[in-house]
Amino acid sequence: QVQLVESGGGLVQAGDSLRLSCAASGDTVSSFGMAWFRQVPGKEREFVAAMSWSGGSIIYGDSVKGRFTITRDDAKNTAYLQMDSLKAEDTAVYYCAAGGYLSSVRLTFISTYPYWGRGTQVTVSS
């Protein structure tokens, strides 16, 4: 079992940066892919970024390419999402997820991830 806790969300202005953290406890996540999704009330959960367990595959959603960066520190059992040049449309609850055990496929699919955090709110004012 893996427990995930996100942190680092908050209220910022357009153009600012934020770094989200996802701390894992329980089993080590070094063998799992890590991903970030986001959701706005009334809309489906949207894929943001993912990194495979090996770090060899990194994928970003089209809306965040060039602005967001996903990293992981397996020694700290933590994943990060660096968000730069934030826009009002980035406002959402951001969720961390772990899954894709020893795999590099289907990293953008919600169904790949059995473990989820409770989310952290990011609000970007324009």
Side-chain angles (χ1 to χ4, degrees):
Q1 286 290 330
V2 175
Q3 294 79 43
L4 302 173
V5 178
E6 303 95 337
S7 62
L11 172 63
V12 297
Q13 294 186 335
D16 286 351
S17 297
L18 272 179
R19 188 176 82 154
L20 305 183
S21 298
C22 173
S25 60
D27 290 343
T28 179
V29 294
S30 61
S31 298
F32 290 99
M34 299 295 293
W36 291 91
F37 290 77
R38 66 187 182 187
Q39 190 167 23
V40 175
K43 294 190 175 182
E44 293 186 353
R45 194 161 294 190
E46 176 191 13
F47 170 75
V48 175
M51 176 181 286
S52 64
W53 70 278
S54 66
S57 293
I58 299 174
I59 306 172
Y60 294 98
D62 288 342
S63 61
V64 306
K65 280 180 183 176
R67 299 188 299 120
F68 290 12
T69 304
I70 185 172
T71 58
R72 61 189 297 164
D73 184 339
D74 288 339
K76 296 182 177 180
N77 235 19
T78 301
Y80 304 94
L81 184 69
Q82 176 67 40
M83 305 186 295
D84 298 321
S85 302
L86 282 162
K87 304 176 181 180
E89 50 264 43
D90 294 319
T91 296
V93 176
Y94 283 71
Y95 297 91
C96 174
Y101 182 75
L102 297 180
S103 173
S104 299
V105 300
R106 299 174 62 88
L107 294 176
T108 65
F109 287 75
I110 290 175
S111 59
T112 295
Y113 303 95
Y115 305 111
W116 291 82
R118 293 188 175 185
T120 184
Q121 176 71 46
V122 172
T123 303
V124 184
S125 63
S126 57

